[in-house]
Amino acid sequence: MASLRKTDRHAEDETLGETPDLEEFIGYNLKRAYVIVQADFRRALGEDGFAPRVFSALSLVVQYPNVTQSGLARMLGIERSGLVAIVDELEGRGLLKRTNVPGDRRVQALVPTQKGKTVYAEARATVRAHEEQLLSNLSTDEKATLMALLAKIRANGE
Amino acid sequence: MASLRKTDRHAEDETLGETPDLEEFIGYNLKRAYVIVQADFRRALGEDGFAPRVFSALSLVVQYPNVTQSGLARMLGIERSGLVAIVDELEGRGLLKRTNVPGDRRVQALVPTQKGKTVYAEARATVRAHEEQLLSNLSTDEKATLMALLAKIRANGE
DNA sequence: CGCATATTGTTAATCTAGTAAACAGTTTAG
DNA sequence: CTAAACTGTTTACTAGATTAACAATATGCG
């Protein structure tokens, strides 16, 4: 998603001095912005850090201890089959544990460990700081506006 | 990426009546919005329609006829190896053709066919209409603001 | 109660998008 | 002329995600 440069076209073709169609589409612009922010996220957390989805899962487990895997999958908007590997990773790193729930032997409630809470708090601070810096050309107001507009899109689509 | 519901937590855990951390992150909100808009895009173009990246490629070829594959890959921000399948598909559907360039026997300039131009114009109108309707709870001003803010993010990240 | 239906976590197969590395052919620079 | 760079391409690989099936368990309802 690089920018359009003069040298990407051939000399002989004309260059309608216009904005490319693509930039009219919200979807295209959303994707480009997302790719940039996502790359920054990965840079922030480094090689051995969390993938975005793993970070998101940990965040929710810390905030909603005893959430079930199905519940977590619903919150994340993914299939519960896809969550298994994510929870495996978090449990493998000792950041949460699967615990059985007295009333229902099907479910595995997810509980963050102390380490999980600590590691999440650090990761959260790191990601926040990186976002802050990546978006330093946006004012606080602009960031708030952006969040509000994105929330409106979400409100429509679900 | 569904919404957070009371029933997704267990009865016994408390429910800090707070906004989930995740919604503080621009990256998370961008992704959620993007997923919604992308799903709408696919609905708009239907089963046999274009994937977003194929649509984007066609758009650029129509707007910049005689672009090379390398140039197009740069514009799209993908590797040129990844572009081969996309161009194959568009050529297979008769929407563009690879032509050789007099001065340079390495490159294949991409030229839209008449059908390509027509099909693109239709697809563009369809996608626009769907975006319009999906985002009908945003005013024209809000949409413009959103675009501008996304462009600012892009300006930072590249 | 008993039985159909639904839910939970899980595995396995599959799909898409995308990257990285290598390549032969060709062009450019010194 | 030779070394370096570029083009399109293939192949192999990874990540993220979906679907379908499954056994264990729970729920609803005659």
Side-chain angles (χ1 to χ4, degrees), chain A residues 30 135 137-154, chain B residues 23-26 29-30 33 137-150 152-153:
Chain A
L30 272 178
L135 304 177
N137 65 336
L138 299 199
S139 70
T140 304
D141 269 10
E142 285 177 320
K143 277 182 275 197
T145 301
L146 176 57
M147 292 298 214
L149 292 172
L150 294 176
K152 268 191 152 182
I153 294 180
R154 205 171 45 197
Chain B
E23 295 180 8
E24 299 174 352
F25 294 106
I26 303 255
N29 289 281
L30 272 178
N137 64 336
L138 300 198
S139 70
T140 304
D141 268 11
E142 285 176 319
K143 277 182 275 198
T145 302
L146 177 57
M147 292 299 214
L149 292 172
L150 294 175
K152 268 191 152 183
I153 294 179

mmCIF file of all heavy atoms in Angstrom, chain A residues 30 135 137-154, chain B residues 23-26 29-30 33 137-150 152-153:
data_model
loop_
_atom_site.group_PDB
_atom_site.id
_atom_site.type_symbol
_atom_site.label_atom_id
_atom_site.label_comp_id
_atom_site.label_asym_id
_atom_site.label_seq_id
_atom_site.Cartn_x
_atom_site.Cartn_y
_atom_site.Cartn_z
ATOM 1 N N LEU A 30 -9.403 2.461 4.989
ATOM 2 C CA LEU A 30 -9.358 1.754 6.269
ATOM 3 C C LEU A 30 -8.255 0.708 6.256
ATOM 4 O O LEU A 30 -7.488 0.575 7.201
ATOM 5 C CB LEU A 30 -10.695 1.058 6.541
ATOM 6 C CG LEU A 30 -11.781 1.844 7.246
ATOM 7 C CD1 LEU A 30 -13.026 0.979 7.372
ATOM 8 C CD2 LEU A 30 -11.322 2.311 8.626
ATOM 9 N N LEU A 135 0.862 8.136 16.038
ATOM 10 C CA LEU A 135 -0.213 9.053 15.672
ATOM 11 C C LEU A 135 0.022 10.444 16.230
ATOM 12 O O LEU A 135 -0.916 11.195 16.497
ATOM 13 C CB LEU A 135 -1.540 8.502 16.180
ATOM 14 C CG LEU A 135 -1.845 7.079 15.685
ATOM 15 C CD1 LEU A 135 -3.134 6.565 16.273
ATOM 16 C CD2 LEU A 135 -1.899 7.045 14.164
ATOM 17 N N ASN A 137 0.906 13.018 14.880
ATOM 18 C CA ASN A 137 0.430 14.154 14.076
ATOM 19 C C ASN A 137 -1.092 14.316 14.150
ATOM 20 O O ASN A 137 -1.666 15.137 13.448
ATOM 21 C CB ASN A 137 0.883 14.032 12.615
ATOM 22 C CG ASN A 137 0.280 12.841 11.922
ATOM 23 O OD1 ASN A 137 -0.111 11.866 12.570
ATOM 24 N ND2 ASN A 137 0.189 12.899 10.611
ATOM 25 N N LEU A 138 -1.728 13.535 15.007
ATOM 26 C CA LEU A 138 -3.154 13.746 15.257
ATOM 27 C C LEU A 138 -3.308 14.367 16.642
ATOM 28 O O LEU A 138 -2.667 13.922 17.601
ATOM 29 C CB LEU A 138 -3.923 12.424 15.228
ATOM 30 C CG LEU A 138 -3.948 11.585 13.961
ATOM 31 C CD1 LEU A 138 -5.111 10.602 14.009
ATOM 32 C CD2 LEU A 138 -4.041 12.436 12.721
ATOM 33 N N SER A 139 -4.155 15.353 16.734
ATOM 34 C CA SER A 139 -4.424 15.950 18.043
ATOM 35 C C SER A 139 -5.270 14.990 18.878
ATOM 36 O O SER A 139 -5.832 14.021 18.360
ATOM 37 C CB SER A 139 -5.165 17.267 17.868
ATOM 38 O OG SER A 139 -6.484 17.011 17.411
ATOM 39 N N THR A 140 -5.365 15.271 20.143
ATOM 40 C CA THR A 140 -6.207 14.454 21.020
ATOM 41 C C THR A 140 -7.651 14.459 20.519
ATOM 42 O O THR A 140 -8.308 13.411 20.481
ATOM 43 C CB THR A 140 -6.163 15.011 22.458
ATOM 44 O OG1 THR A 140 -4.800 15.060 22.870
ATOM 45 C CG2 THR A 140 -6.944 14.126 23.403
ATOM 46 N N ASP A 141 -8.098 15.622 20.120
ATOM 47 C CA ASP A 141 -9.444 15.735 19.563
ATOM 48 C C ASP A 141 -9.614 14.872 18.318
ATOM 49 O O ASP A 141 -10.617 14.174 18.154
ATOM 50 C CB ASP A 141 -9.735 17.186 19.173
ATOM 51 C CG ASP A 141 -10.385 17.943 20.327
ATOM 52 O OD1 ASP A 141 -10.413 17.397 21.444
ATOM 53 O OD2 ASP A 141 -10.860 19.063 20.093
ATOM 54 N N GLU A 142 -8.644 14.934 17.458
ATOM 55 C CA GLU A 142 -8.746 14.169 16.217
ATOM 56 C C GLU A 142 -8.792 12.672 16.498
ATOM 57 O O GLU A 142 -9.562 11.936 15.873
ATOM 58 C CB GLU A 142 -7.565 14.500 15.298
ATOM 59 C CG GLU A 142 -7.697 15.864 14.635
ATOM 60 C CD GLU A 142 -6.483 16.216 13.785
ATOM 61 O OE1 GLU A 142 -5.334 15.928 14.216
ATOM 62 O OE2 GLU A 142 -6.674 16.773 12.701
ATOM 63 N N LYS A 143 -7.982 12.244 17.449
ATOM 64 C CA LYS A 143 -8.015 10.831 17.798
ATOM 65 C C LYS A 143 -9.381 10.433 18.340
ATOM 66 O O LYS A 143 -9.931 9.385 17.989
ATOM 67 C CB LYS A 143 -6.903 10.505 18.812
ATOM 68 C CG LYS A 143 -5.566 10.269 18.119
ATOM 69 C CD LYS A 143 -4.480 9.894 19.108
ATOM 70 C CE LYS A 143 -3.855 11.141 19.712
ATOM 71 N NZ LYS A 143 -2.554 10.901 20.366
ATOM 72 N N ALA A 144 -9.927 11.300 19.175
ATOM 73 C CA ALA A 144 -11.248 11.005 19.743
ATOM 74 C C ALA A 144 -12.305 10.958 18.643
ATOM 75 O O ALA A 144 -13.180 10.076 18.627
ATOM 76 C CB ALA A 144 -11.609 12.056 20.791
ATOM 77 N N THR A 145 -12.211 11.893 17.724
ATOM 78 C CA THR A 145 -13.154 11.909 16.606
ATOM 79 C C THR A 145 -13.048 10.630 15.788
ATOM 80 O O THR A 145 -14.058 10.001 15.444
ATOM 81 C CB THR A 145 -12.865 13.118 15.686
ATOM 82 O OG1 THR A 145 -12.972 14.314 16.455
ATOM 83 C CG2 THR A 145 -13.838 13.158 14.527
ATOM 84 N N LEU A 146 -11.810 10.238 15.512
ATOM 85 C CA LEU A 146 -11.595 9.022 14.742
ATOM 86 C C LEU A 146 -12.221 7.819 15.438
ATOM 87 O O LEU A 146 -12.958 7.031 14.819
ATOM 88 C CB LEU A 146 -10.090 8.800 14.557
ATOM 89 C CG LEU A 146 -9.675 7.523 13.850
ATOM 90 C CD1 LEU A 146 -10.307 7.424 12.467
ATOM 91 C CD2 LEU A 146 -8.155 7.443 13.732
ATOM 92 N N MET A 147 -11.956 7.686 16.729
ATOM 93 C CA MET A 147 -12.538 6.581 17.500
ATOM 94 C C MET A 147 -14.056 6.597 17.400
ATOM 95 O O MET A 147 -14.687 5.556 17.210
ATOM 96 C CB MET A 147 -12.150 6.727 18.971
ATOM 97 C CG MET A 147 -10.699 6.525 19.236
ATOM 98 S SD MET A 147 -10.149 4.872 18.797
ATOM 99 C CE MET A 147 -8.916 4.635 20.076
ATOM 100 N N ALA A 148 -14.627 7.775 17.533
ATOM 101 C CA ALA A 148 -16.089 7.888 17.515
ATOM 102 C C ALA A 148 -16.633 7.471 16.153
ATOM 103 O O ALA A 148 -17.652 6.761 16.063
ATOM 104 C CB ALA A 148 -16.509 9.318 17.843
ATOM 105 N N LEU A 149 -15.948 7.880 15.091
ATOM 106 C CA LEU A 149 -16.426 7.536 13.751
ATOM 107 C C LEU A 149 -16.292 6.036 13.506
ATOM 108 O O LEU A 149 -17.186 5.406 12.928
ATOM 109 C CB LEU A 149 -15.659 8.338 12.699
ATOM 110 C CG LEU A 149 -15.951 9.844 12.722
ATOM 111 C CD1 LEU A 149 -15.013 10.588 11.783
ATOM 112 C CD2 LEU A 149 -17.404 10.128 12.349
ATOM 113 N N LEU A 150 -15.194 5.462 13.970
ATOM 114 C CA LEU A 150 -15.026 4.020 13.808
ATOM 115 C C LEU A 150 -16.096 3.272 14.602
ATOM 116 O O LEU A 150 -16.629 2.262 14.145
ATOM 117 C CB LEU A 150 -13.622 3.602 14.258
ATOM 118 C CG LEU A 150 -12.467 4.139 13.400
ATOM 119 C CD1 LEU A 150 -11.123 3.751 13.995
ATOM 120 C CD2 LEU A 150 -12.572 3.645 11.964
ATOM 121 N N ALA A 151 -16.409 3.787 15.762
ATOM 122 C CA ALA A 151 -17.460 3.150 16.572
ATOM 123 C C ALA A 151 -18.803 3.214 15.853
ATOM 124 O O ALA A 151 -19.603 2.273 15.920
ATOM 125 C CB ALA A 151 -17.553 3.830 17.937
ATOM 126 N N LYS A 152 -19.030 4.293 15.143
ATOM 127 C CA LYS A 152 -20.283 4.411 14.397
ATOM 128 C C LYS A 152 -20.360 3.370 13.285
ATOM 129 O O LYS A 152 -21.423 2.811 13.022
ATOM 130 C CB LYS A 152 -20.397 5.811 13.776
ATOM 131 C CG LYS A 152 -21.125 6.816 14.654
ATOM 132 C CD LYS A 152 -21.431 8.084 13.866
ATOM 133 C CE LYS A 152 -22.670 8.776 14.388
ATOM 134 N NZ LYS A 152 -23.015 10.002 13.608
ATOM 135 N N ILE A 153 -19.258 3.132 12.637
ATOM 136 C CA ILE A 153 -19.242 2.096 11.600
ATOM 137 C C ILE A 153 -19.562 0.745 12.223
ATOM 138 O O ILE A 153 -20.392 -0.008 11.722
ATOM 139 C CB ILE A 153 -17.866 2.048 10.895
ATOM 140 C CG1 ILE A 153 -17.641 3.332 10.111
ATOM 141 C CG2 ILE A 153 -17.782 0.829 9.973
ATOM 142 C CD1 ILE A 153 -16.310 3.385 9.389
ATOM 143 N N ARG A 154 -18.909 0.491 13.339
ATOM 144 C CA ARG A 154 -19.136 -0.768 14.039
ATOM 145 C C ARG A 154 -20.596 -0.901 14.439
ATOM 146 O O ARG A 154 -21.184 -1.978 14.346
ATOM 147 C CB ARG A 154 -18.238 -0.798 15.273
ATOM 148 C CG ARG A 154 -17.911 -2.179 15.758
ATOM 149 C CD ARG A 154 -16.857 -2.098 16.842
ATOM 150 N NE ARG A 154 -17.183 -1.032 17.793
ATOM 151 C CZ ARG A 154 -16.311 -0.506 18.652
ATOM 152 N NH1 ARG A 154 -15.061 -0.920 18.649
ATOM 153 N NH2 ARG A 154 -16.671 0.429 19.480
ATOM 154 N N GLU B 23 -10.947 -1.112 23.487
ATOM 155 C CA GLU B 23 -11.529 -0.022 22.709
ATOM 156 C C GLU B 23 -10.741 1.269 22.818
ATOM 157 O O GLU B 23 -11.043 2.247 22.144
ATOM 158 C CB GLU B 23 -13.001 0.167 23.110
ATOM 159 C CG GLU B 23 -13.799 -1.073 22.725
ATOM 160 C CD GLU B 23 -15.284 -1.001 23.063
ATOM 161 O OE1 GLU B 23 -15.747 0.074 23.473
ATOM 162 O OE2 GLU B 23 -15.972 -2.032 22.903
ATOM 163 N N GLU B 24 -9.702 1.251 23.617
ATOM 164 C CA GLU B 24 -8.798 2.407 23.663
ATOM 165 C C GLU B 24 -7.820 2.409 22.498
ATOM 166 O O GLU B 24 -7.202 3.421 22.209
ATOM 167 C CB GLU B 24 -7.918 2.356 24.914
ATOM 168 C CG GLU B 24 -8.646 2.388 26.215
ATOM 169 C CD GLU B 24 -7.657 2.185 27.371
ATOM 170 O OE1 GLU B 24 -6.467 1.879 27.091
ATOM 171 O OE2 GLU B 24 -8.079 2.325 28.498
ATOM 172 N N PHE B 25 -7.643 1.240 21.898
ATOM 173 C CA PHE B 25 -6.597 1.122 20.892
ATOM 174 C C PHE B 25 -7.117 1.414 19.499
ATOM 175 O O PHE B 25 -8.123 0.829 19.064
ATOM 176 C CB PHE B 25 -5.973 -0.278 20.932
ATOM 177 C CG PHE B 25 -5.241 -0.545 22.205
ATOM 178 C CD1 PHE B 25 -5.763 -1.377 23.168
ATOM 179 C CD2 PHE B 25 -4.017 0.072 22.441
ATOM 180 C CE1 PHE B 25 -5.085 -1.601 24.365
ATOM 181 C CE2 PHE B 25 -3.335 -0.155 23.630
ATOM 182 C CZ PHE B 25 -3.870 -0.988 24.590
ATOM 183 N N ILE B 26 -6.427 2.296 18.836
ATOM 184 C CA ILE B 26 -6.810 2.631 17.468
ATOM 185 C C ILE B 26 -6.751 1.392 16.591
ATOM 186 O O ILE B 26 -7.630 1.152 15.768
ATOM 187 C CB ILE B 26 -5.865 3.709 16.883
ATOM 188 C CG1 ILE B 26 -5.871 4.960 17.756
ATOM 189 C CG2 ILE B 26 -6.258 4.012 15.455
ATOM 190 C CD1 ILE B 26 -6.616 6.125 17.215
ATOM 191 N N ASN B 29 -9.842 -0.806 16.917
ATOM 192 C CA ASN B 29 -11.037 -0.203 16.322
ATOM 193 C C ASN B 29 -10.957 -0.133 14.809
ATOM 194 O O ASN B 29 -11.945 -0.326 14.108
ATOM 195 C CB ASN B 29 -11.254 1.189 16.921
ATOM 196 C CG ASN B 29 -11.704 1.116 18.363
ATOM 197 O OD1 ASN B 29 -12.853 0.859 18.649
ATOM 198 N ND2 ASN B 29 -10.765 1.295 19.295
ATOM 199 N N LEU B 30 -9.754 0.123 14.310
ATOM 200 C CA LEU B 30 -9.570 0.116 12.861
ATOM 201 C C LEU B 30 -9.885 -1.253 12.302
ATOM 202 O O LEU B 30 -10.572 -1.388 11.288
ATOM 203 C CB LEU B 30 -8.125 0.461 12.509
ATOM 204 C CG LEU B 30 -7.754 1.930 12.341
ATOM 205 C CD1 LEU B 30 -6.269 2.035 12.056
ATOM 206 C CD2 LEU B 30 -8.565 2.573 11.225
ATOM 207 N N ALA B 33 -13.642 -2.038 12.309
ATOM 208 C CA ALA B 33 -14.347 -1.296 11.258
ATOM 209 C C ALA B 33 -13.994 -1.877 9.886
ATOM 210 O O ALA B 33 -14.870 -2.062 9.027
ATOM 211 C CB ALA B 33 -13.978 0.184 11.326
ATOM 212 N N ASN B 137 -25.367 6.085 8.388
ATOM 213 C CA ASN B 137 -25.500 6.835 9.643
ATOM 214 C C ASN B 137 -24.355 7.838 9.847
ATOM 215 O O ASN B 137 -24.258 8.463 10.887
ATOM 216 C CB ASN B 137 -25.601 5.902 10.852
ATOM 217 C CG ASN B 137 -24.346 5.093 11.064
ATOM 218 O OD1 ASN B 137 -23.586 4.873 10.119
ATOM 219 N ND2 ASN B 137 -24.114 4.651 12.289
ATOM 220 N N LEU B 138 -23.506 7.970 8.828
ATOM 221 C CA LEU B 138 -22.487 9.019 8.871
ATOM 222 C C LEU B 138 -22.897 10.135 7.906
ATOM 223 O O LEU B 138 -23.320 9.849 6.782
ATOM 224 C CB LEU B 138 -21.114 8.495 8.445
ATOM 225 C CG LEU B 138 -20.465 7.365 9.242
ATOM 226 C CD1 LEU B 138 -18.973 7.309 8.940
ATOM 227 C CD2 LEU B 138 -20.686 7.533 10.726
ATOM 228 N N SER B 139 -22.764 11.350 8.331
ATOM 229 C CA SER B 139 -23.063 12.470 7.434
ATOM 230 C C SER B 139 -21.952 12.604 6.398
ATOM 231 O O SER B 139 -20.877 12.002 6.540
ATOM 232 C CB SER B 139 -23.164 13.757 8.236
ATOM 233 O OG SER B 139 -21.879 14.128 8.698
ATOM 234 N N THR B 140 -22.200 13.376 5.385
ATOM 235 C CA THR B 140 -21.171 13.616 4.372
ATOM 236 C C THR B 140 -19.921 14.210 5.011
ATOM 237 O O THR B 140 -18.800 13.805 4.707
ATOM 238 C CB THR B 140 -21.708 14.570 3.289
ATOM 239 O OG1 THR B 140 -22.905 14.019 2.753
ATOM 240 C CG2 THR B 140 -20.693 14.745 2.173
ATOM 241 N N ASP B 141 -20.141 15.130 5.904
ATOM 242 C CA ASP B 141 -19.021 15.734 6.627
ATOM 243 C C ASP B 141 -18.237 14.703 7.418
ATOM 244 O O ASP B 141 -17.002 14.693 7.408
ATOM 245 C CB ASP B 141 -19.548 16.787 7.626
ATOM 246 C CG ASP B 141 -19.591 18.163 6.992
ATOM 247 O OD1 ASP B 141 -19.428 18.253 5.760
ATOM 248 O OD2 ASP B 141 -19.799 19.142 7.735
ATOM 249 N N GLU B 142 -18.963 13.844 8.104
ATOM 250 C CA GLU B 142 -18.280 12.848 8.919
ATOM 251 C C GLU B 142 -17.449 11.920 8.052
ATOM 252 O O GLU B 142 -16.320 11.560 8.407
ATOM 253 C CB GLU B 142 -19.300 12.044 9.734
ATOM 254 C CG GLU B 142 -19.867 12.830 10.906
ATOM 255 C CD GLU B 142 -20.944 12.055 11.663
ATOM 256 O OE1 GLU B 142 -21.783 11.393 11.004
ATOM 257 O OE2 GLU B 142 -20.965 12.122 12.885
ATOM 258 N N LYS B 143 -18.016 11.548 6.913
ATOM 259 C CA LYS B 143 -17.243 10.682 6.013
ATOM 260 C C LYS B 143 -15.977 11.381 5.542
ATOM 261 O O LYS B 143 -14.895 10.773 5.504
ATOM 262 C CB LYS B 143 -18.108 10.244 4.831
ATOM 263 C CG LYS B 143 -18.981 9.041 5.166
ATOM 264 C CD LYS B 143 -19.799 8.568 3.985
ATOM 265 C CE LYS B 143 -21.080 9.369 3.887
ATOM 266 N NZ LYS B 143 -22.118 8.714 3.053
ATOM 267 N N ALA B 144 -16.120 12.651 5.211
ATOM 268 C CA ALA B 144 -14.951 13.405 4.752
ATOM 269 C C ALA B 144 -13.903 13.507 5.865
ATOM 270 O O ALA B 144 -12.698 13.346 5.630
ATOM 271 C CB ALA B 144 -15.371 14.795 4.286
ATOM 272 N N THR B 145 -14.372 13.746 7.072
ATOM 273 C CA THR B 145 -13.460 13.824 8.219
ATOM 274 C C THR B 145 -12.723 12.507 8.409
ATOM 275 O O THR B 145 -11.499 12.471 8.598
ATOM 276 C CB THR B 145 -14.250 14.146 9.507
ATOM 277 O OG1 THR B 145 -14.946 15.378 9.323
ATOM 278 C CG2 THR B 145 -13.320 14.242 10.698
ATOM 279 N N LEU B 146 -13.487 11.425 8.328
ATOM 280 C CA LEU B 146 -12.884 10.100 8.483
ATOM 281 C C LEU B 146 -11.794 9.878 7.446
ATOM 282 O O LEU B 146 -10.671 9.460 7.768
ATOM 283 C CB LEU B 146 -13.968 9.027 8.365
ATOM 284 C CG LEU B 146 -13.515 7.582 8.433
ATOM 285 C CD1 LEU B 146 -12.761 7.292 9.726
ATOM 286 C CD2 LEU B 146 -14.701 6.630 8.301
ATOM 287 N N MET B 147 -12.114 10.168 6.210
ATOM 288 C CA MET B 147 -11.128 10.012 5.141
ATOM 289 C C MET B 147 -9.872 10.822 5.436
ATOM 290 O O MET B 147 -8.748 10.342 5.262
ATOM 291 C CB MET B 147 -11.712 10.508 3.818
ATOM 292 C CG MET B 147 -12.828 9.658 3.291
ATOM 293 S SD MET B 147 -12.313 7.963 2.961
ATOM 294 C CE MET B 147 -13.351 7.624 1.529
ATOM 295 N N ALA B 148 -10.074 12.046 5.871
ATOM 296 C CA ALA B 148 -8.929 12.922 6.135
ATOM 297 C C ALA B 148 -8.067 12.361 7.264
ATOM 298 O O ALA B 148 -6.830 12.375 7.188
ATOM 299 C CB ALA B 148 -9.420 14.325 6.483
ATOM 300 N N LEU B 149 -8.714 11.838 8.300
ATOM 301 C CA LEU B 149 -7.952 11.306 9.427
ATOM 302 C C LEU B 149 -7.194 10.049 9.020
ATOM 303 O O LEU B 149 -6.038 9.852 9.391
ATOM 304 C CB LEU B 149 -8.893 11.023 10.606
ATOM 305 C CG LEU B 149 -9.500 12.281 11.248
ATOM 306 C CD1 LEU B 149 -10.559 11.914 12.275
ATOM 307 C CD2 LEU B 149 -8.417 13.144 11.886
ATOM 308 N N LEU B 150 -7.848 9.209 8.220
ATOM 309 C CA LEU B 150 -7.165 8.004 7.744
ATOM 310 C C LEU B 150 -5.973 8.388 6.870
ATOM 311 O O LEU B 150 -4.913 7.756 6.933
ATOM 312 C CB LEU B 150 -8.143 7.102 6.982
ATOM 313 C CG LEU B 150 -9.274 6.502 7.826
ATOM 314 C CD1 LEU B 150 -10.244 5.720 6.947
ATOM 315 C CD2 LEU B 150 -8.731 5.620 8.938
ATOM 316 N N LYS B 152 -4.209 10.983 7.185
ATOM 317 C CA LYS B 152 -3.141 11.457 8.079
ATOM 318 C C LYS B 152 -2.348 10.296 8.663
ATOM 319 O O LYS B 152 -1.131 10.380 8.827
ATOM 320 C CB LYS B 152 -3.745 12.270 9.231
ATOM 321 C CG LYS B 152 -3.830 13.757 8.960
ATOM 322 C CD LYS B 152 -4.172 14.522 10.245
ATOM 323 C CE LYS B 152 -3.629 15.942 10.215
ATOM 324 N NZ LYS B 152 -3.892 16.669 11.491
ATOM 325 N N ILE B 153 -3.044 9.235 9.011
ATOM 326 C CA ILE B 153 -2.343 8.053 9.516
ATOM 327 C C ILE B 153 -1.415 7.508 8.448
ATOM 328 O O ILE B 153 -0.250 7.209 8.690
ATOM 329 C CB ILE B 153 -3.349 6.968 9.946
ATOM 330 C CG1 ILE B 153 -4.148 7.451 11.157
ATOM 331 C CG2 ILE B 153 -2.619 5.661 10.271
ATOM 332 C CD1 ILE B 153 -5.173 6.461 11.647
#
